[in-house]
Amino acid sequence: MEQYKQEFIEFMVESDVLKFGEFTLKSGRKAPYFINAGNYKTGAQLAKLGEYYAECIKDNNIAVETLFGPAYKGIPLAVSATVALFNKFGTSVNYCFDRKEAKDHGEGGTFVGRALTDGEKVVVIDDVMTSGKALREVLPKLKSAADVNVTGMVITVDRMEKALDSDKSAVQSAYDEFGVRVYSIVTIKDIIGAIESGVIEGKEYLDSMKSYLEQYGAQY
């Protein structure tokens, strides 16, 4: 496992974002782990988080000119990743985000930041992907602004779970439905590997995590 992935898993635990126990998810499934991205709340955490997004973009050689953060949670994530790409790698890219409601005064419009142009390489930045709803909502918005080229979406963790109505994961469905490849900083299998190798605590949860993945995991 790449060093930055291992460090990111430790960072999630330290930030109280990755928790183990028994959690009832929105889907009704009872999971032995939970990822609460809302617990990133300090400047230090956000700066570090941006670096992991930047590492993932560089590690996967994702072509990008503009990072797009869907309102509202995606906005600070895209900003932190944009800053990190410049500070860590010397790569300067644009960023923009959408408004939930179009502004009818001042400069007006639905987007803030970079004014998108045809053919522009755009990467969507978000925290997690459960159903693909966020991507389904933002793609028409992006395309209404310009005929952009969405070269990828970057999330923190791929849970690698089947959707409720499909044998495919949300990540797999996003590619099949929209042609957008979703990259994650880490996967649930990376997290299991980190527990097994002693990078983080949680060996008592390994059996239930593996059973959960066996029951609900998508075939990759």
Side-chain angles (χ1 to χ4, degrees):
M1 190 193 310
E2 291 89 339
Q3 185 68 25
Y4 80 92
K5 295 188 177 189
Q6 185 173 306
E7 288 174 3
F8 179 65
I9 293 167
E10 292 176 284
F11 170 68
M12 281 195 293
V13 173
E14 288 162 9
S15 303
D16 206 27
V17 167
L18 174 60
K19 300 181 179 187
F20 302 103
E22 188 176 298
F23 306 91
T24 302
L25 307 181
K26 195 185 291 184
S27 62
R29 295 172 181 170
K30 292 198 183 304
Y33 67 95
F34 186 63
I35 297 152
N36 181 9
N39 274 353
Y40 294 121
K41 50 188 176 284
T42 69
Q45 287 170 337
L46 204 56
K48 200 74 186 156
L49 184 57
E51 290 184 5
Y52 292 120
Y53 277 111
E55 290 272 13
C56 184
I57 290 166
K58 287 295 184 180
D59 189 38
N60 290 286
N61 295 311
I62 309 171
V64 59
E65 293 171 295
T66 297
L67 295 184
F68 172 76
Y72 291 102
K73 279 197 293 186
I75 297 172
L77 303 180
V79 172
S80 64
T82 304
V83 172
L85 276 170
F86 180 71
N87 285 342
K88 198 171 177 84
F89 298 105
T91 302
S92 183
V93 299
N94 309 297
Y95 90 95
C96 69
F97 60 89
D98 61 325
R99 292 186 171 100
K100 288 285 190 183
E101 302 84 21
K103 188 177 179 185
D104 60 3
H105 59 280
E107 78 281 11
T110 308
F111 288 83
V112 180
R114 168 74 175 174
L116 298 170
T117 58
D118 290 352
E120 192 158 345
K121 298 179 182 70
V122 175
V123 171
V124 180
I125 301 288
D126 215 343
D127 55 356
V128 292
M129 176 181 264
T130 306
S131 64
K133 182 184 172 192
L135 195 58
R136 193 170 288 109
E137 288 176 351
V138 303
L139 283 178
K141 285 186 179 182
L142 289 168
K143 290 292 187 178
S144 71
D147 187 18
V148 297
N149 176 14
V150 180
T151 53
M153 179 177 188
V154 183
I155 58 174
T156 54
V157 181
D158 180 1
R159 296 179 61 98
M160 305 179 81
E161 279 181 44
K162 289 184 281 196
L164 292 176
D165 57 354
S166 167
D167 281 341
K168 294 177 180 175
S169 73
V171 164
Q172 291 168 324
S173 297
Y175 185 71
D176 290 348
E177 191 175 344
F178 310 115
V180 174
R181 195 170 294 283
V182 180
Y183 302 86
S184 62
I185 300 171
V186 295
T187 68
I188 188 59
K189 287 188 176 175
D190 291 329
I191 292 170
I192 288 171
I195 296 172
E196 287 176 330
S197 59
V199 171
I200 58 171
E201 302 283 316
K203 283 194 165 67
E204 65 271 31
Y205 299 107
L206 276 174
D207 287 346
S208 55
M209 288 177 78
K210 289 177 180 177
S211 297
Y212 182 81
L213 206 54
E214 202 170 302
Q215 185 175 0
Y216 296 116
Q219 293 301 312
Y220 273 65

